[in-house]
Amino acid sequence: MKTGTGIGTGTGIDYDKMGLKAGLEIHQQLDTRTKLFCKCPTTLRDNKDSTYSFIRYLRASKSEMGEVDKAAREEESYSRTFLYKAYDSTCLVENDEEPPGELNPEAIDIALEIALMLNMKVVDEIHTMRKIVIDGSNTCGFQRTALVATDGRLTTEEGGVRIDSLCLEEDAAQKIETTGTGNMVVYSLDRLGIPLVEISTAPDIRTPEQARKVAEQIGMILRSTGKVKRGLGTIRQDINISIEGGARVEIKGVQNLRLISEIVKNEILRQRKLIELKEELNNRGARVEHRIEDLSFIFKDTDSKVINRAGGKVFGACLRGFAGILGTELQPGRRFGTELADFAAKYGTGTGLIHTDELPAYGIGEAEIARMRSVFNASESDCVVIVAVAERSQGEKALRAVLNRAEAAMRGIPEETRRALPNGSSAYMRPLPGAARMYPETDVPPVEIDVQRLKAIGSRLPETFEHRVTRYKQQFGLNNELATKVSRSSNFNLFELIVERYGGKGVSPTLVARTLTDTMVELMREGVELENLTEQHFIDIFRLLAEHAFAKEAIPDIMRFIASKPELSVERAIEEIGLGVSIRDVERFIEDTVALKRDFILEKGERAVGPLMGIVMAKYRGKVDGKEINRLLKTKVQQILRGESDK
Ligand SMILES: [Zn+2]
């Protein structure tokens, strides 16, 4: 086994040499008044408010190609039942008891606007198609999707990325839970039918960082329309990844932009490890024995709670020459054994998969391990895998899936769809869907896109990024670098708002732009939880700066403090940090100082201001703007010289 290849540290990887090819698929909910094919509102509901529910059993249907899709067939083999929760805000279209209406024109307009902003070619006529999905996420067994535009392009520092297509789609029903044995899946119908745009890039992305930047740019364009939904779950990214010698894998459901580069890195890691495992297994002459044995008799009086809880039946099989392989880590916190366990778990085996690489554990002792091995005549170089279940058929199905996956590891990396996990790794979901999934939706009439409609939308597009950069340079005097940074950042609206309000009150646009870009980056690197800072916090910071409540050098300290105590107002934060200097206090201190140094002032005249500055600044440096102190001091000194002071 090769070890210590250095991958996984995330540093020093030459992505060019690895032949990374990645593409993004971005799904964004549109903020329309009604759904894509009916007049129901696009609001999400609390599933406790469901007014009724119904049950469906879905079967894989043959597409026009006459073949049942591989992904669909696998889904069907789980034989699940689906329960749907309906609301007073959903109708018979969501229930699939009434045909869909016409495509929502408001959604089409937004899709066209986004297509034009991505420099895409819009189709002459929009045709709605059916895409098979039988995981139950759509009551009718397919998702409706309509191609709106093709052939767009984005530029990044690492090079151009083509945008293959933009489709208008209906969102799927939201999965609420899978019940105990895994046979019943509960869905909520409120989300079903909310219009989405699906934007797919070509596999032109070459580094993990570039993947994040492309997602960011597309996200910015989407938000700049002001017509997309915001907040958690309203935008979802899928990533297609392959490396030289690896396979195409689609990772679904990335909700956090910051995770994108991490997910790409971890998938590269997984594929490289799997390539190593394949070589190792072939060198060892490993083989998978498709012989499943009932091992329940070994565990009849077992102390293992895990096995007893699962229902008492245990089935096992032997992977010849696999010792140590299942314990090999593929991604942070995920071993090859975890990968196999994903397949067992699909069949509702509560315990997943237990293997001899990790035993003794789970209350399974040496005696039981020895008996397991003897059933298969397994040597030290073999690995025995077991599943604990309530029924024989469940155990056999789960093990068969595990054995097939183990065998595939000797041939290479299977193409598959995976689910993004919160730590940046991923888990198996289903095979990669084949091409035979689409066929025309005859219930929805095609929509012709006329030139006038397109022209009208094109004439009122939001400001492009390039235009904004130029404007910031001219209007606010930002340099090119800073204008570019703040224009690209998601805070550009906030920047404009603050400058508009406080720019005339002495707050410099450059300072605001630096704070919202460079300072944010620096604090993020320090690990400051910037997500705790709201737009209102920033507005208050610059309002108080304009009121001379503190000196500009203190801004990073204030941001750090508020990030740790977001419940405090900016005023309170300034007090608690000890910047809490009211201008009245400063005035008093200056009055006292001036009174004390009266003779000195009368002797030196206005030249006394310099030395007195030293005294006042010693107390207020970093808390009050020096210019402001100088101004106050001058006034007071002049008062004394004019004989206005009675002290
Ligand atoms: Zn409806």
Side-chain angles (χ1 to χ4, degrees):
M1 192 75 247
K2 266 189 272 173
T3 52
T5 50
I7 55 176
T9 58
T11 53
I13 297 182
D14 186 344
Y15 294 105
D16 275 346
K17 285 204 186 108
M18 218 140 27
L20 172 68
K21 285 183 186 164
L24 291 175
E25 210 174 87
I26 294 180
H27 302 90
Q28 167 74 62
Q29 285 180 353
L30 304 182
D31 197 15
T32 51
R33 280 180 294 275
T34 60
K35 287 185 174 176
L36 194 54
F37 297 107
C38 66
K39 299 280 185 256
C40 294
T42 60
T43 38
L44 295 182
R45 303 293 303 272
D46 186 323
N47 62 60
K48 284 196 289 288
D49 296 333
S50 167
T51 43
Y52 66 100
S53 57
F54 57 91
I55 280 177
R56 291 281 160 82
Y57 309 89
L58 292 182
R59 288 280 160 263
S61 59
K62 285 184 180 182
S63 72
E64 281 192 335
M65 305 297 284
E67 282 170 30
V68 176
D69 183 69
K70 196 179 165 199
R73 207 170 43 224
E74 179 174 317
E75 200 64 47
E76 189 189 35
S77 69
Y78 310 138
S79 54
R80 280 183 183 149
T81 306
F82 304 106
L83 183 125
Y84 297 98
K85 287 182 177 279
Y87 302 86
D88 54 13
S89 60
T90 60
C91 72
L92 294 177
V93 173
E94 282 95 330
N95 298 6
D96 191 35
E97 284 161 23
E98 202 174 89
E102 287 183 9
L103 271 166
N104 176 347
E106 189 190 5
I108 294 178
D109 279 348
I110 302 172
L112 291 174
E113 180 175 334
I114 295 165
L116 293 179
M117 291 188 75
L118 290 166
N119 307 307
M120 301 184 79
K121 291 193 189 93
V122 172
V123 298
D124 299 329
E125 208 169 45
I126 299 178
H127 291 268
T128 305
M129 305 289 284
R130 294 176 170 185
K131 190 156 73 174
I132 294 181
V133 277
I134 72 150
D135 61 355
S137 62
N138 202 316
T139 45
C140 56
F142 46 80
Q143 180 190 30
R144 297 181 187 94
T145 176
L147 180 68
V148 174
T150 58
D151 292 327
R153 196 179 174 81
L154 276 184
T155 41
T156 68
E157 290 149 37
E158 292 90 342
V161 174
R162 289 167 294 159
I163 305 205
D164 281 345
S165 65
L166 182 146
C167 293
L168 195 52
E169 295 190 337
E170 53 183 349
D171 204 347
Q174 172 113 46
K175 192 181 198 168
I176 300 173
E177 59 172 340
T178 304
T179 55
T181 54
N183 283 329
M184 165 106 87
V185 187
V186 182
Y187 283 102
S188 176
L189 288 180
D190 50 344
R191 200 179 71 183
L192 178 63
I194 294 182
L196 287 180
V197 286
E198 183 204 69
I199 297 167
S200 309
T201 78
D204 292 345
I205 294 167
R206 296 289 172 262
T207 70
E209 260 317 278
Q210 192 186 13
R212 183 182 57 79
K213 285 180 191 163
V214 169
E216 252 169 26
Q217 267 196 55
I218 294 177
M220 211 161 59
I221 287 173
L222 291 167
R223 287 192 301 274
S224 67
T225 63
K227 294 163 191 163
V228 298
K229 290 207 187 278
R230 304 288 297 267
L232 194 72
T234 57
I235 184 162
R236 303 190 292 277
Q237 276 105 1
D238 299 345
I239 313 173
N240 288 298
I241 304 169
S242 68
I243 60 169
E244 191 75 45
R248 199 165 76 86
V249 162
E250 184 176 87
I251 300 175
K252 290 185 98 67
V254 187
Q255 295 196 6
N256 184 343
L257 213 59
R258 270 178 262 170
L259 266 188
I260 287 182
S261 50
E262 211 53 34
I263 281 172
V264 176
K265 281 181 202 162
N266 284 334
E267 180 56 21
I268 291 170
L269 197 63
R270 192 185 73 95
Q271 295 205 13
R272 287 182 64 173
K273 279 284 180 194
L274 284 172
I275 293 169
E276 286 180 19
L277 285 189
K278 175 190 134 182
E279 286 167 9
E280 177 69 18
L281 286 169
N282 286 316
N283 287 343
R284 290 187 189 180
R287 81 196 144 80
V288 171
E289 248 177 31
H290 287 267
R291 179 184 132 209
I292 295 171
E293 293 290 342
D294 187 342
L295 305 180
S296 309
F297 68 96
I298 300 176
F299 298 94
K300 213 161 49 203
D301 302 311
T302 188
D303 295 333
S304 169
K305 288 191 188 110
V306 175
I307 287 180
N308 287 327
R309 256 203 313 267
K313 288 204 168 55
V314 178
F315 296 86
C318 183
L319 304 172
R320 301 281 174 204
F322 272 69
I325 299 284
L326 274 66
T328 304
E329 190 170 77
L330 302 180
Q331 290 186 326
R334 288 184 54 89
R335 299 174 303 277
F336 183 60
T338 326
E339 196 89 337
L340 296 185
D342 287 345
F343 284 76
K346 279 263 164 185
Y347 294 90
T349 60
T351 56
L353 186 73
I354 296 170
H355 54 85
T356 45
D357 275 7
E358 58 183 346
L359 294 180
Y362 312 116
I364 299 172
E366 294 292 356
E368 287 162 325
I369 300 168
R371 289 178 77 190
M372 278 161 61
R373 286 191 178 279
S374 78
V375 169
F376 296 100
N377 209 3
S379 76
E380 282 302 310
S381 60
D382 301 332
C383 179
V384 176
V385 292
I386 58 170
V387 291
V389 288
E391 281 171 51
R392 175 182 205 98
S393 68
Q394 194 186 13
E396 286 182 345
K397 274 185 186 175
L399 270 182
R400 229 174 279 135
V402 167
L403 296 177
N404 287 339
R405 177 62 189 89
E407 205 165 44
M410 293 187 288
R411 293 190 298 270
I413 302 171
E415 293 195 334
E416 62 195 24
T417 305
R418 302 176 65 82
R419 177 167 52 89
L421 299 175
N423 72 346
S425 58
S426 63
Y428 173 77
M429 226 175 133
R430 53 177 182 250
L432 210 58
R437 304 169 75 210
M438 299 254 253
Y439 51 108
E441 166 62 87
T442 47
D443 286 334
V444 180
V447 178
E448 202 181 322
I449 301 301
D450 70 48
V451 183
Q452 290 312 315
R453 181 179 193 176
L454 214 50
K455 262 193 189 155
I457 292 169
S459 70
R460 49 182 154 84
L461 289 182
E463 184 179 38
T464 64
F465 162 71
E466 287 79 10
H467 183 262
R468 194 182 304 138
V469 173
T470 314
R471 185 164 63 83
Y472 283 1
K473 287 197 278 190
Q474 289 167 355
Q475 196 176 337
F476 304 125
L478 301 187
N479 67 31
N480 189 57
E481 187 204 344
L482 199 53
T484 308
K485 268 192 216 163
V486 76
S487 293
R488 259 191 212 286
S489 93
S490 54
N491 287 324
F492 72 89
N493 279 323
L494 181 61
F495 164 74
E496 291 195 30
L497 185 139
I498 291 171
V499 171
E500 191 181 302
R501 284 196 195 167
Y502 308 114
K505 294 176 184 160
V507 171
S508 116
T510 299
L511 175 66
V512 180
R514 284 234 178 279
T515 304
L516 294 176
T517 57
D518 298 348
T519 309
M520 298 273 274
V521 173
E522 283 156 24
L523 294 180
M524 198 157 74
R525 285 199 188 120
E526 276 178 31
V528 175
E529 291 179 61
L530 289 177
E531 53 274 21
N532 288 341
L533 291 172
T534 63
E535 296 204 342
Q536 193 56 49
H537 282 135
F538 285 101
I539 294 168
D540 288 343
I541 288 173
F542 286 102
R543 174 176 55 78
L544 289 161
L545 182 69
E547 291 168 6
H548 308 290
F550 58 90
K552 63 177 191 291
E553 289 75 18
I555 291 176
D557 288 334
I558 297 173
M559 287 166 70
R560 236 179 248 119
F561 193 81
I562 298 173
S564 67
K565 293 184 174 174
E567 70 282 1
L568 290 189
S569 69
V570 179
E571 277 93 343
R572 275 298 303 280
I574 290 169
E575 276 174 37
E576 292 209 6
I577 307 173
L579 299 172
V581 178
S582 79
I583 262 317
R584 188 63 212 125
D585 287 344
V586 181
E587 275 175 345
R588 261 188 225 119
F589 183 74
I590 289 176
E591 278 162 17
D592 292 350
T593 309
V594 166
L596 217 67
K597 299 283 178 185
R598 192 183 166 85
D599 294 343
F600 176 71
I601 293 167
L602 291 173
E603 184 197 328
K604 295 275 179 182
E606 287 214 13
R607 276 174 301 143
V609 172
L612 293 178
M613 250 326 258
I615 298 172
V616 183
M617 285 305 282
K619 188 167 165 72
Y620 290 113
R621 182 168 286 115
K623 299 178 182 174
V624 182
D625 191 7
K627 269 190 229 154
E628 182 64 10
I629 291 181
N630 190 266
R631 192 184 63 79
L632 289 170
L633 201 52
K634 260 187 190 160
T635 314
K636 296 290 170 199
V637 166
Q638 283 161 356
Q639 280 174 4
I640 297 231
L641 291 174
R642 287 198 298 267
E644 284 169 15
S645 173
D646 49 8
K647 282 183 192 169

